[in-house]
């Protein structure tokens, strides 16, 4: 069977069994920051398993994009060496949310494997959790599997959980025997050891519990099913291959790599591993960038950076010493485009991001090589035989310089490295990374909300800004359910109907007031702690309120109006950016507040002043056209088919709201908007810049705030005119004259300072000292800055013709030192070595060339000591 046939057969089978077919979620887990990446098909259904989210179906099936590169489910180190592990892979899964359980799940899996995929039962073995007698009996008595082909294992092998916390339960695995000749021995022991003779085909997880942060298990609302089958492994079995890499999912990529490096695969050599690493990582790189992740120094971006650099180094071992991965991302897209057509439009962008990161790594490798050579020369000078692991880890962390390359080059110089301390530093960094990735949801304490998740909150804010008779359904105080809130209390209120918009999609929540005849409260924050539940965080101003009472709920209309203007302007800005800069532009984050809007987007080049003006003009043109802004609700599939833009990090339901501004902008959006673009009034960009590699940020104002900003700039311009006593047309010429005048004055001041410095030195009448027949001139010269100090040192170096010049000065509470050595003495002593010994006296660091070096520090009081002791330091160095 072809890959597409395998995918289609799986979805068709479960559709026929009453399952809702759900599209893959992005690799960035939606609404679950406890995960670095989506690592299983069940991730997007987590809240359904926990009973926190309602859905219109109880059975689902999907083919999910997954990444396993960190944490509990981490296959990173196995990639390339193992025939069945990958960083990126696709997981076929079927799910039951309190509908069928173990018996039906096992029956479905057996039916599709035997009747649809036509796999012989003689090639299959089953594993179950050692205490799960029910699953054992179903396989043995109902399905008819002999006892000697069903193996019981412990928690390590047959108990599944999504992470350290979350849904979990016993599982049963279906294993396929590839070839009995691969490895002789007892099947149970071989499966337990991970032998290549067997391949784990399908994992059937029987979700019964939720593990909390303390490790305690809580029964789920209803026993459920979560299954996961690796597509790559099933393709291997059905296409009768020995390795996942031999299938149509990988071979086109492997062939493209081999064409670049003129290598024949397979050759059963170590280089085969490098080919597999590159082909695996290329898939992960392409999908990560396609889902909006950019290379960075932390979090998800760091994983992407590491993948690119690891694949680049693998290419180096094959003789590919310049950026090459970017040439191959198109091959990945060709292989995967039938299932992921959205990658086609991102092909150029994916390649550009990859190439930029490769170039950056290529440059850092060169810099790292220089640093390593310095470490080697210093070790030899100090007669040390080992380069410390701390130094090599710094080299790895700063420059991405691989340990194995460091080891190879160090050993060529007859030295060795301290690998254990390197790995100690690596583990410290991993610990820091885990702490930085703090997990925890935005509103992490969701236990209290689970008790009220059956509420029916209706949001009416699209049509009204006030609800006269809203019923209070629940109250929380300090995370616990209460019957009432009284004056001075802070708590959360849940209404059956509300006009308050809950923070989402970059738009901050509404503020306003809740009140009735004997109660009033300020609404300070509105958010959705779990899907479909709207929490109003309030401060009670007067009276008290109880569950079941009615209140008037009114938003701050002026604030909402400003939010709507900024949100509609954000849509116009997004479309303008795509039209002017290119289709590669994708939203990478946003903030819609009442005061301003902020928009982060993907773009590699800096944006010119001309482009910023064009973007701003385009938005204002659309505002002046007074385009009607329309909204309608339709299915997600239909909206995408019609060309609506979806934001990759957002989680969308089956039905979505589409916001349209004529043929200029069409986006999926649940936020508030003005009725016509003309209501925005004015759009003004106030800043633009880079916030990360390949990510830029625009901040802008609209309406009255934009008018006030323009007026403030007008006032400033008027003040400048008055200060310069000039008309507006003459401001620039007047400023040029002023700059020229200041420059001349600075030259005069510099000349004067240098004259005074020379006279002061001459007045003291101090003679140059002789040390080992070498002239040493060491002085503190007041009144000069560090640049002038360098010039003075060079001047004195020319005067003495042969010798050493050491000068120091203080400026702006900082001390500076310079050392100059004439060329005839460089075989005896070097300026950079002298400065490294003097720099600590002024609390700083220094460096430079052998003939000239400098240092700076904050300890000005140590300057005199440095100058005085310089002679003895030089004497010791000459000895």
């Amino acid at each position: 069977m072809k890959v597409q046939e395998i995918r289609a057969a799986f979805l068709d089978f479960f559709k026929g069994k009453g399952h809702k077919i759900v599209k893959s979620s992005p690799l960035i887990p939606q609404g679950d920051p406890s995960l670095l990446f989506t690592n299983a098909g069940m991730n997007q259904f987590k809240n359904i398993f926990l009973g926190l989210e309602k859905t219109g179906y109880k059975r689902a099936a999907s083919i999910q994009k997954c990444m396993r590169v960190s944490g509990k489910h981490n296959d990173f180190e196995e990639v390339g060496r193992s025939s069945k592990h990958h960083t990126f892979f696709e997981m076929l899964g079927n799910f039951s949310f309190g509908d069928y359980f173990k018996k039906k799940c096992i029956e479905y899996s057996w039916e599709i494997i035997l009747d649809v995929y036509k796999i012989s039962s003689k090639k299959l073995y089953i594993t179950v959790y050692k205490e799960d007698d029910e699953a054992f009996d179903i396989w043995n008595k109902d399905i008819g599997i002999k006892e000697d082909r069903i193996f019981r294992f412990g928690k390590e092998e047959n108990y599944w959980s999504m992470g350290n916390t979350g849904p979990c339960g016993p599982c049963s695995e279906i294993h396929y025997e590839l070839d009995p000749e691969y490895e002789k021995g007892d099947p149970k022991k071989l499966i337990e050891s991970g032998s290549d003779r067997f391949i784990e085909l399908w994992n059937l997880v029987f979700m019964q519990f939720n593990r909390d942060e303390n490790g305690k298990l809580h029964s789920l609302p209803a026993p459920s099913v979560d299954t996961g089958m690796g597509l790559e492994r099933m393709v291997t079995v059905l296409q009768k291959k020995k390795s996942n890499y031999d299938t149509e999912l990988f071979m086109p990529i492997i062939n493209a790599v081999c064409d670049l490096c003129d290598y024949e695969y397979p050759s059963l050599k170590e280089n085969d591993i490098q080919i597999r690493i590159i082909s695996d990582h290329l898939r992960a790189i392409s999908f990560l960038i396609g889902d909006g992740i950019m290379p960075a120094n932390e979090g998800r971006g760091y994983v992407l950076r590491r993948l690119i650099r690891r694949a680049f180094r693998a290419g180096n071992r094959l003789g590919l010493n310049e950026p090459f991965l970017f040439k191959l991302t198109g091959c990945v897209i060709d292989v995967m485009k039938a299932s992921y057509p959205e990658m086609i439009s991102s092909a150029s962008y994916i390649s550009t991001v990859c190439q930029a990161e490769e170039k950056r790594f290529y440059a850092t490798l060169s810099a790292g090589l220089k640093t390593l050579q310095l470490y080697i020369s210093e070790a030899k000078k100090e007669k040390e035989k080992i380069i410390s692991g701390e130094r090599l880890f710094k080299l790895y962390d700063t420059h991405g310089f691989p340990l194995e390359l460091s080891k190879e080059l160090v050993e060529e110089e007859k030295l060795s490295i301290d690998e254990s301390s390197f790995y100690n530093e690596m583990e410290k960094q991993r610990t820091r990374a885990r702490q930085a990735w703090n997990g925890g949801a935005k509103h992490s304490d969701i236990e209290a909300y689970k008790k009220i998740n059956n509420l029916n909150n209706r949001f009416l804010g699209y049509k009204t800004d006030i609800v006269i008779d809203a019923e209070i359904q629940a109250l929380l105080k300090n995370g616990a359910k209460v019957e009432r809130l009284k004056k001075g209390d802070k708590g959360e209120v849940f209404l059956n109907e509300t006009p308050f918009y809950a923070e989402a999609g970059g738009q901050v929540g509404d503020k306003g007031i809740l009140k009735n005849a004997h109660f009033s409260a300020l609404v300070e924050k509105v958010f959705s702690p779990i899907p479909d539940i709207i929490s109003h965080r309030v401060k009670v101003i007067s009276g008290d309120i109880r569950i079941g009472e009615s209140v008037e709920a009114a938003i701050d209309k002026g604030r909402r109006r400003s939010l709507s203007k900024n949100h509609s302007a954000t849509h116009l800005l997004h479309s303008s950016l795509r039209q002017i800069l290119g289709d590669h532009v994708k939203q990478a984050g946003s903030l819609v507040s009442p005061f301003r809007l902020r928009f982060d987007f993907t773009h590699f080049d800096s944006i010119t002043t001309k482009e910023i003006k064009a973007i701003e003009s385009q938005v204002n043109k659309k505002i002046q056209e007074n385009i009607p802004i329309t909204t309608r609700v339709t299915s997600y599939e239909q909206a995408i088919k019609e060309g609506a833009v979806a934001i990759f990090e957002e989680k969308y339901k089956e039905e979505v709201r589409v916001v349209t501004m004529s043929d200029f902008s069409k986006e999926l959006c649940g936020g508030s908007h003005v009725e016509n673009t003309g209501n925005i009034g004015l759009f003004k960009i106030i800043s633009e810049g880079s916030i990360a590699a390949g990510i830029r940020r625009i901040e802008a104002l609209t309406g009255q705030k934009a008018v006030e900003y323009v007026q403030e700039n007008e006032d400033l311009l008027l003040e400048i005119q008055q200060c310069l006593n000039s008309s507006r047309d003459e401001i620039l010429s007047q400023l040029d004259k002023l700059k020229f005048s200041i420059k001349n004055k600075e030259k005069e001041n510099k000349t004067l300072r240098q004259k005074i410095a020379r006279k002061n030195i001459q007045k003291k009448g101090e003679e140059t000292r002789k040390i080992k027949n070498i002239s040493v001139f060491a002085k503190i010269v007041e009144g000069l800055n560090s640049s002038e100090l360098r010039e003075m040192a060079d001047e004195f170096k020319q005067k003495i013709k042969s010798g050493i010049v050491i000068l120091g000065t203080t400026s702006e509470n900082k001390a500076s030192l310079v050392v100059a050595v004439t060329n005839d003495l460089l075989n005896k002593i070097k300026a950079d070595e002298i400065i490294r010994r003097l720099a600590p006296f002024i609390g700083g660091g220094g460096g430079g060339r052998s003939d000239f070096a400098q240092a700076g520090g904050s300890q000005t009081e140590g300057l005199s000591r440095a100058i005085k002791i310089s002679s003895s330091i030089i004497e010791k160095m000459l000895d």
Side-chain angles (χ1 to χ4, degrees):
M1 290 177 81
K2 293 287 187 183
V3 171
Q4 277 302 90
E5 293 172 332
I6 295 169
R7 287 189 180 107
F10 182 86
L11 296 179
D12 289 346
F13 174 84
F14 282 103
K15 187 176 182 181
K17 300 293 184 183
H19 290 64
K20 168 73 177 175
I21 305 304
V22 180
K23 72 186 292 288
S24 172
S25 64
L27 289 171
I28 300 175
Q30 298 162 317
D32 187 0
S34 64
L35 286 174
L36 196 60
F37 294 108
T38 299
N39 61 14
M42 66 80 60
N43 290 169
Q44 66 172 313
F45 303 115
K46 179 179 176 181
N47 280 341
I48 301 174
F49 280 120
L50 291 173
L52 298 175
E53 186 176 338
K54 305 179 190 74
T55 183
Y57 49 86
K58 287 199 165 186
R59 300 177 173 200
S62 70
I63 300 177
Q64 175 63 51
K65 300 181 292 186
C66 296
M67 280 284 296
R68 290 189 180 175
V69 288
S70 61
K72 183 178 186 294
H73 303 291
N74 179 4
D75 296 333
F76 192 76
E77 298 304 328
E78 294 296 318
V79 171
R81 301 185 182 281
S82 160
S83 64
K84 54 193 179 186
H85 290 95
H86 304 288
T87 51
F88 170 87
F89 63 98
E90 294 174 84
M91 184 176 284
L92 290 70
N94 60 291
F95 310 90
S96 164
F97 313 115
D99 186 9
Y100 61 84
F101 198 44
K102 293 181 185 179
K103 189 171 187 299
K104 189 64 73 175
C105 175
I106 290 171
E107 288 173 351
Y108 284 159
S109 66
W110 203 244
E111 183 181 348
I112 190 173
I113 284 178
L114 266 60
D115 297 347
V116 177
Y117 291 136
K118 308 295 183 184
I119 296 173
S120 169
S121 61
K122 295 177 182 178
K123 302 281 283 180
L124 301 172
Y125 288 80
I126 309 300
T127 69
V128 297
Y129 180 49
K130 63 182 180 181
E131 297 174 12
D132 194 350
D133 294 333
E134 182 185 1
F136 186 97
D137 288 343
I138 294 168
W139 282 114
N140 177 229
K141 296 174 182 176
D142 297 339
I143 302 298
I145 307 294
K146 292 180 180 179
E147 288 190 14
D148 62 357
R149 296 179 81 88
I150 309 173
F151 307 133
R152 293 179 186 263
F153 288 123
K155 279 194 173 182
E156 188 70 27
E157 293 83 11
N158 277 83
Y159 200 93
W160 198 92
S161 57
M162 192 175 71
N164 296 324
T165 62
C168 60
C171 65
S172 179
E173 296 171 347
I174 302 172
H175 291 260
Y176 178 87
E177 185 177 39
L178 285 169
D179 188 338
E181 299 303 314
Y182 268 16
E183 187 176 356
K184 300 292 185 181
D186 175 43
K188 181 177 181 180
K189 290 181 180 177
L190 291 174
I191 287 173
E192 188 174 21
S193 67
S195 167
D196 281 343
R197 174 174 156 183
F198 294 92
I199 188 168
E200 180 197 321
L201 207 54
W202 206 343
N203 190 5
L204 315 178
V205 181
F206 309 122
M207 289 291 185
Q208 294 176 253
F209 308 105
N210 178 46
R211 182 182 286 112
D212 66 21
E213 292 175 355
N214 299 317
K216 190 175 179 182
L217 296 178
H218 305 274
S219 293
L220 288 170
S224 301
V225 164
D226 154 34
T227 81
M229 177 202 296
L231 173 67
E232 292 76 9
R233 295 181 180 188
M234 181 54 87
V235 174
T236 297
V237 170
L238 295 181
Q239 294 186 354
K240 294 181 169 49
K241 303 294 184 180
K242 293 182 178 180
S243 162
N244 294 358
Y245 292 98
D246 297 337
T247 68
E248 63 178 299
L249 283 169
F250 286 91
M251 281 312 299
I253 305 169
I254 286 173
N255 289 336
V257 177
C258 290
D259 287 345
L260 275 184
C261 59
D262 195 23
Y263 181 80
E264 187 174 332
Y265 178 91
S267 297
L268 303 179
K269 297 176 183 174
E270 179 68 20
N271 280 346
D272 283 3
I273 294 174
Q274 310 310 321
I275 293 286
R276 291 193 290 269
I277 287 173
I278 293 169
S279 63
D280 171 90
H281 287 13
L282 270 167
R283 290 177 10 126
I285 290 162
S286 299
F287 275 91
L288 285 173
I289 298 172
D291 271 6
I293 295 164
M294 297 291 297
N297 287 328
E298 59 185 17
R300 297 177 179 116
Y302 181 69
V303 172
L304 174 57
R305 173 161 285 168
R306 191 177 171 204
L307 285 165
I308 292 173
R309 294 185 171 192
R310 191 168 188 247
F312 186 85
R313 280 290 300 137
N316 289 168
R317 296 187 187 97
L318 296 167
L320 299 170
N321 294 315
E322 293 188 356
F324 70 95
L325 296 169
F326 75 96
K327 300 174 184 176
L328 300 168
T329 55
C331 180
V332 175
I333 293 168
D334 282 342
V335 172
M336 306 298 283
K337 65 186 178 185
S339 293
Y340 304 97
E342 66 273 13
M343 293 190 75
I344 298 170
S345 62
S346 299
S348 175
Y349 173 70
I350 291 169
S351 176
T352 301
V353 173
C354 185
Q355 183 182 24
E357 182 60 23
E358 285 187 271
K359 284 181 176 177
R360 188 178 290 109
F361 185 45
Y362 183 69
T364 57
L365 271 179
S366 302
L369 191 59
K370 290 178 183 175
T371 304
L372 181 62
Q373 287 167 345
L374 177 65
Y375 292 165
I376 291 170
S377 65
E378 287 179 352
K380 285 183 173 180
K381 190 167 186 179
E382 300 295 328
K383 296 184 178 177
E384 294 173 352
K385 295 291 184 184
I386 299 173
I387 307 288
S388 76
E390 289 86 353
R391 276 190 150 189
L392 294 176
F393 180 76
K394 185 179 178 183
L395 189 63
Y396 166 82
D397 199 38
T398 305
H399 298 290
F401 206 81
L403 177 65
E404 63 271 19
L405 182 58
S406 293
K407 185 178 182 181
E408 184 182 318
L409 295 172
V410 166
E411 287 176 351
E412 284 177 6
E413 298 293 331
K414 310 299 182 191
L415 301 173
S416 60
I417 66 171
D418 181 359
E419 285 193 55
S420 62
S421 62
F422 175 91
Y423 288 114
N424 285 340
E425 292 299 313
M426 174 78 83
E427 187 54 40
K428 287 179 191 175
Q429 190 209 51
R430 285 174 178 159
T431 301
R432 288 192 296 270
R434 284 192 292 269
Q435 290 168 347
W437 190 263
N438 47 26
K442 188 187 292 183
H443 304 285
S444 57
D445 186 11
I446 62 171
E447 289 301 314
Y449 303 113
K450 288 165 70 173
K451 298 170 185 174
I452 58 171
N453 69 335
N454 58 346
L455 301 181
N456 182 22
N457 290 168
R458 287 180 63 214
F459 173 62
L460 306 178
Y462 293 137
K463 295 181 178 178
T464 183
D465 47 37
I466 185 168
V467 174
I468 303 295
D469 199 25
E471 181 189 340
I472 294 181
Q473 295 185 313
L475 298 170
L476 293 182
K477 182 180 177 183
N478 298 324
K481 286 182 74 175
V482 293
E483 288 299 313
R484 71 168 186 152
L485 292 174
K486 60 184 186 300
K487 182 179 179 180
D489 281 350
K490 287 191 172 185
E492 295 176 54
V493 177
F494 301 84
L495 306 171
N496 66 331
E497 296 179 337
T498 180
F500 284 87
Y501 178 82
E503 178 182 334
Q507 180 176 327
V508 301
D510 284 324
K511 291 185 178 182
I513 193 164
L514 302 180
K515 66 178 181 178
N516 60 23
H518 57 269
F519 161 85
S520 67
L522 292 177
V523 178
E524 298 179 329
K525 184 180 179 72
V526 184
F527 61 96
S528 289
I530 57 178
D532 302 319
I533 298 294
I534 298 174
S535 170
H536 307 73
R537 190 168 288 167
V538 304
K539 180 179 181 181
V540 181
I541 303 302
S542 64
D544 62 11
I545 191 70
R546 297 176 184 273
I547 294 174
E549 294 185 5
S550 294
V551 293
E552 179 184 292
I555 66 169
D556 181 334
K557 291 190 286 186
R559 187 174 182 276
R560 164 71 79 82
R561 196 71 178 160
S562 296
L563 283 164
S564 299
K565 289 178 181 180
N566 285 337
H567 206 148
S568 296
T570 300
H571 284 220
L572 292 176
L573 172 62
H574 191 186
S575 289
S576 297
L577 287 167
R578 289 172 66 85
Q579 284 193 14
I580 293 166
L581 301 181
D583 286 342
H584 65 276
V585 169
K586 290 186 178 180
Q587 181 172 330
S590 70
L591 171 69
V592 176
S593 81
F595 313 107
R596 64 189 172 98
L597 67 91
R598 186 183 74 210
F599 191 77
D600 300 341
F601 57 97
T602 55
H603 185 63
F604 258 90
D605 298 323
S606 57
I607 300 178
T608 64
T609 304
K610 184 179 179 181
E611 286 172 329
I612 290 173
K613 283 182 179 178
I615 293 161
E616 188 176 86
S617 296
Q618 174 84 293
V619 174
N620 280 308
K621 181 174 180 287
K622 295 301 170 184
I623 290 172
Q624 290 158 20
E625 289 176 10
N626 199 28
I627 301 167
I629 298 177
T630 61
T631 63
R632 71 185 181 96
V633 175
T634 186
S635 68
Y636 177 85
E637 288 78 9
Q638 183 61 31
I640 298 302
K641 196 181 292 182
E642 292 173 1
V645 174
I647 310 305
F648 68 84
E649 75 270 20
E650 289 294 323
K651 184 174 183 178
Y652 296 104
K653 296 184 178 181
E654 289 180 68
E655 287 199 328
V656 293
R657 183 168 176 258
V658 183
V659 177
T660 304
M661 302 177 189
S662 184
D663 58 354
F664 185 71
S665 169
K666 182 181 285 189
E667 291 192 28
L668 305 189
C669 179
S672 63
H673 291 270
V674 292
E675 297 79 15
N676 303 283
T677 58
N679 296 144
I680 297 169
L682 176 67
F683 174 83
K684 182 65 186 169
I685 293 174
I686 58 172
S687 71
E688 186 282 328
S690 172
I691 58 167
I695 303 286
R696 302 196 73 81
R697 171 174 291 173
I698 281 178
E699 294 191 75
L701 303 172
T702 65
Q704 186 58 32
K705 291 285 182 187
V707 172
E708 289 170 4
Y709 179 82
V710 172
Q711 288 174 338
E712 285 170 8
N713 281 338
E714 283 289 315
D715 291 343
L716 181 61
L717 200 57
L718 190 60
E719 282 184 41
I720 293 170
Q721 283 179 241
Q722 291 169 350
C723 286
L724 294 174
N725 194 22
S726 168
S727 67
R728 182 172 296 194
D729 293 340
E730 294 175 337
I731 285 177
L732 288 179
S733 62
Q734 286 291 89
L735 285 173
D736 283 337
K737 288 178 185 176
L738 196 57
K739 280 165 63 181
F740 183 74
S741 174
I742 290 169
K743 195 172 182 180
N744 283 336
K745 296 297 181 189
E746 283 176 348
K747 279 184 182 177
E748 291 173 13
N749 286 339
K750 179 181 176 181
T751 304
L752 190 58
R753 284 196 302 272
Q754 289 175 330
K755 280 183 180 177
I756 293 169
R758 288 190 197 96
K759 281 191 175 182
N760 286 339
I761 291 172
Q762 290 164 2
K763 275 181 187 175
K764 291 177 182 176
E766 292 172 337
E767 297 176 357
T768 300
R769 301 185 69 182
K770 288 280 188 179
I771 300 172
K772 303 279 186 182
N773 247 4
I774 292 175
S775 300
V776 178
F777 187 87
K779 296 285 184 293
I780 293 177
V781 186
E782 297 293 356
L784 300 182
N785 59 35
S786 56
S787 172
E788 291 161 358
L789 192 70
R790 289 194 295 271
E791 291 178 22
M792 183 72 74
D794 197 52
E795 183 181 320
F796 273 87
K797 178 181 164 184
Q798 302 303 321
K799 274 188 178 181
I800 62 174
K801 300 197 185 301
S802 176
I804 302 167
V805 177
I806 303 172
L807 297 180
T809 191
T810 56
S811 177
E812 297 178 353
N813 295 320
K814 289 184 179 178
S816 297
L817 276 168
V818 293
V819 177
V821 178
T822 54
N823 291 340
D824 62 311
L825 301 176
L826 294 180
N827 61 334
K828 296 179 180 178
I829 196 164
K830 293 178 172 52
D832 55 337
E833 293 174 356
I834 298 172
I835 206 75
R836 270 199 289 273
R837 287 166 172 79
L838 293 177
F841 289 99
I842 59 172
R849 306 187 307 271
S850 57
D851 65 328
F852 190 90
Q854 58 188 345
S858 58
Q859 296 174 14
T860 55
E861 67 279 4
L863 186 61
S864 296
R865 173 76 175 148
I867 294 296
K868 285 178 183 176
I869 207 168
S870 61
S871 297
S872 60
I873 286 174
I874 289 169
E875 191 168 3
K876 285 179 183 176
M877 290 175 71
L878 289 170
D879 285 338

